[in-house]
Amino acid sequence: MFAQPTVSGNLLFIGSCAGKFLALDKATGKEVWSYDTKADGGPFSFHGDPLIHETLVLVPADRGCDAGGYIYAFEKKSGKMRWKFRAGAPATSFVDTGDVVILGTRQREWLSVNIDSGKLKWKFQEAASKAQCEIPKPAATDGVRLAFVSHDQFVYILDIKSGRELRKIKLPSPASTGLLMYKGVLYLGHEDGRLRSLNPESGQWLGEKSPPAILSGRFAWTKTKHGSEDVEYVFGSRMNENRKSGVVLAFTGEFDGVLWSQNSEIEWVSEQPHLWKEWVIAGNCRGEIAAYRATDGAV
C-alpha cells in the first residue's frame, strides 16, 4: 500500500496493491463497495492519496511509465463511477482548487482536470528530455500559482488557471521532500541536508536552515491548541555507523526552531507524519507503528 487511507463519515477509502479500490466501514472494516482496475486493463497501483470532494471520491491509478493509468471519480456512498480519465501514469496526490484537480504523472506531465466532468482543462509537459520512471513529488499551491519539482530537479511555477509557465528555478541540490506552501512561502528539503525557502512570486531564494537530519517525505502541519505558533512535522534520516536511522521532527512557526525530535532505530516508511487527534503517527517497514504526543513528542 502506497497511498494514505482517507476517511469520510463512516467510510474509509483505500487502494490495495492488488489493484482494487475499496470503501470500508470505518467501525467494522467490512467492505461497502469496491472497484477492480482489472476492468480497465490493470491491475493498477494507487500512489496518490484519495481525495474527497463533496459527494465524490477521486483517486489516481498507474502501472508504471509505459502502461498509463486512470484518474477515477466515484460516488463515495454507492461506488458508482462518475467518470474516468485516461492519463499517462498519474501518480501524485491531488491539488484541489475547488473546480479542478491537478496532479503529476510519471511521464513528466502535469494535468488539470475538471472535477464535475472529468474533462482536461490544461496539460503542462516538463522540459526534461528523458523520462525517468519516478513518482513525482506532490505539488503545492497558494491559490494563484502551482509549484512542483520536475524530474530534472527544477522548481516550476505555473499559473494555476491556465497552466502557463511563470518561472523555472534550478535546485542547488536534489529535493528530498515534497513542497510545502506555508504563509505564501515555499519550503523544500534537500539531499545536502538543507531546508530552503523560496518566494513563489519572484522565484528568489529567501534563506536556508540546517536541520538535525536530512528531511524526507511530505510535510504535515497543524495549528497549536493553545499557542500562537503553528507546528510543522516531517520525517528525516541520519547515518549512524554506516546505517540509516529515522527521526520525527517538529518545527515551530516558520521553521524557526525544533520543538522536539524522536529517533528511531530504522527509517520511517510512511510518506508523512499522520496527525490524529493529539498524536503524530509514524510507521516503519517492520510493521511497527509509533504514536508521539504532538505537543512534546512523548510516547
Side-chain angles (χ1 to χ4, degrees):
M1 185 181 71
F2 303 101
Q4 183 169 283
T6 299
V7 173
S8 176
N10 65 337
L11 295 176
L12 183 147
F13 299 97
I14 188 170
S16 76
C17 296
K20 270 192 173 183
F21 186 66
L22 303 107
L24 307 178
D25 185 286
K26 186 177 67 174
T28 66
K30 291 183 178 180
E31 181 180 312
V32 177
W33 59 263
S34 66
Y35 183 81
D36 194 336
T37 59
K38 290 179 182 177
D40 299 316
F44 296 107
S45 298
F46 302 94
H47 291 106
D49 297 344
L51 171 72
I52 305 299
H53 183 88
E54 297 178 354
T55 61
L56 298 178
V57 55
L58 288 78
V59 65
D62 75 281
R63 198 176 66 183
C65 292
D66 300 324
Y70 287 91
I71 303 169
Y72 295 101
F74 301 100
E75 294 181 5
K76 63 182 183 182
K77 290 186 177 180
S78 67
K80 180 182 178 181
M81 186 185 296
R82 178 77 62 85
W83 53 261
K84 62 182 178 181
F85 179 84
R86 178 73 173 172
T92 71
S93 295
F94 295 105
V95 171
D96 183 2
T97 71
D99 59 341
V100 302
V101 287
I102 302 171
L103 80 169
T105 78
R106 292 187 175 197
Q107 296 181 2
R108 300 172 292 116
E109 295 176 334
W110 288 83
L111 310 172
S112 175
V113 179
N114 184 277
I115 294 175
D116 290 331
S117 67
K119 301 295 185 183
L120 182 69
K121 183 174 182 181
W122 56 256
K123 177 172 71 173
F124 181 85
Q125 181 76 51
E126 293 178 20
S129 58
K130 184 185 292 185
Q132 302 173 39
C133 196
E134 297 175 351
I135 298 172
K137 291 177 170 56
T141 182
D142 59 2
V144 177
R145 290 165 287 267
L146 180 82
F148 66 87
V149 176
S150 66
H151 287 74
D152 55 351
Q153 299 302 307
F154 283 85
V155 173
Y156 280 84
I157 310 292
L158 309 183
D159 177 86
I160 202 166
K161 294 294 186 182
S162 66
R164 179 174 60 89
E165 181 182 328
L166 301 176
R167 57 192 50 85
K168 175 182 173 183
I169 305 103
K170 179 65 177 176
L171 294 181
S173 173
S176 62
T177 70
L179 289 165
L180 172 69
M181 185 79 76
Y182 179 70
K183 294 186 177 179
V185 175
L186 280 170
Y187 293 91
L188 179 65
H190 296 260
E191 290 182 5
D192 65 2
R194 303 290 198 274
L195 171 67
R196 294 182 171 89
S197 54
L198 179 74
N199 183 323
E201 185 174 1
S202 66
Q204 297 297 309
W205 293 105
L206 299 175
E208 63 178 53
K209 300 178 184 293
S210 297
I214 297 176
L215 307 183
S216 61
R218 284 192 284 167
F219 294 94
W221 71 275
T222 186
K223 292 184 177 296
T224 54
K225 194 170 185 179
H226 303 294
S228 58
E229 289 187 315
D230 298 334
V231 179
E232 299 86 20
Y233 303 92
V234 69
F235 291 127
S237 63
R238 298 188 179 109
M239 287 298 298
N240 294 313
E241 298 179 354
N242 299 320
R243 179 180 178 181
K244 279 188 176 181
S245 62
V247 61
V248 183
L249 292 158
F251 294 89
T252 57
E254 297 171 39
F255 295 92
D256 300 320
V258 177
L259 177 65
W260 58 260
S261 66
Q262 281 283 9
N263 297 320
S264 168
E265 182 183 348
I266 60 175
E267 288 184 278
W268 299 111
V269 295
S270 307
E271 190 178 3
Q272 68 181 139
H274 180 66
L275 307 182
W276 179 69
K277 296 184 177 179
E278 298 178 0
W279 300 95
V280 179
I281 312 296
N284 63 32
C285 61
R286 295 175 181 169
E288 300 167 338
I289 297 174
Y292 301 104
R293 195 159 55 202
T295 53
D296 58 11
V299 179

